[in-house]
Amino acid sequence: MSDTEQSKPETGHTERYDGRWAPIHGQPYRSVPYRPARMAAAESLAHAAELRERMDQRRTVRQFSTDPVPPQVVRDAVACAATAPSGAHQQPWTFVLVQDPDIRRRIREAAEHEEQISYDGRLGEEWLAALRPLGTDEVKPHLTDAPALIVVFQQRYWLGDDGTKHKHYYVDESVGIAVGMLLSALHLSGLAALVHTPSPMRFLSEVLGRPENEKAFAVVPVGYPAPDCEVPDLVRKSLDQVLVEV
């Protein structure tokens, strides 16, 4: 057995470990045992109730403190997001953590340029009317006030060793689920966040030097709420408005 191979005693399989994930494109299906400990019903109910209460406290924040956040907390949140399910387990996402003030400034300038055009009419009156109760406009201070930005890219395809392009599947769905898990992980770790989707977002690939197979999906400012932070007085739909049981 080579240095890069090891036997998995629970399955008898021999696998390669080089420290990096590789696509399983075209490989035969294999499985390993999955035996998580079953949580007692009472404990499960308590955890679910606590999680529901904590997640109900999550709010989208647009007024951030400039105080730094622990970078490892953000990295761990990204690691949580990267456990999301994805089409054919191809994990078609890249998370770019931007902390450099100059790069955040460049992103803000480019975003506000696009947003100005959008608010001047590109969005259309129906969309603008929907936004008015939220108090948003083309000025985006959160892009420079928040000490960190996570720019999420979706990978439209991946390249094989021979340079051939291979399609990813259910990319929008996969990356959307990952972003949702990212928001949850950040909130449960004590940080605030916002999903910002300036349109178009091609400038993000240019500013961050991303390859051509990646397309910007969202910008997520991360930090602590500013001392004078306010959020819209919104009411979430009740459970019976969103859940249908049959």
Side-chain angles (χ1 to χ4, degrees), residues 16 46 57 70 79 99 104 194 197 217-218 243:
R16 285 197 161 271
Q57 297 168 1
Q99 300 174 89
R104 287 188 284 120
L194 158 73
T197 54
F217 185 83
L243 174 64

Side-chain angles (χ1 to χ4, degrees), residues 65-185:
S65 166
T66 58
D67 292 343
V69 298
Q72 190 58 45
V73 173
V74 181
R75 296 187 191 105
D76 285 342
V78 171
C80 289
T83 68
S86 60
H89 189 56
Q90 293 180 331
Q91 304 164 83
W93 44 62
T94 301
F95 301 86
V96 181
L97 176 56
V98 184
Q99 300 174 89
D100 183 278
D102 183 61
I103 297 178
R104 287 188 284 120
R105 177 189 56 78
R106 291 170 59 194
I107 289 175
R108 176 178 175 178
E109 290 175 351
E112 289 184 338
H113 172 74
E114 295 295 345
E115 295 281 10
Q116 181 70 63
I117 298 173
S118 294
Y119 277 89
D120 282 347
R122 182 167 58 189
L123 290 178
E125 179 53 34
E126 185 176 6
W127 182 218
L128 289 172
L131 288 174
R132 286 191 188 106
L134 302 178
T136 62
D137 57 26
E138 69 277 5
V139 182
K140 306 299 179 184
H142 49 261
L143 295 174
T144 48
D145 289 346
L149 304 177
I150 302 173
V151 184
V152 185
F153 289 87
Q154 51 182 197
Q155 301 170 5
R156 308 308 300 183
Y157 59 88
W158 58 275
L159 295 174
D161 293 337
D162 59 357
T164 56
K165 295 181 179 180
H166 298 276
K167 180 182 178 181
H168 282 313
Y169 299 93
Y170 296 103
V171 175
D172 291 342
E173 295 86 348
S174 301
V175 179
I177 294 170
V179 170
M181 293 178 64
L182 175 65
L183 296 178
S184 297

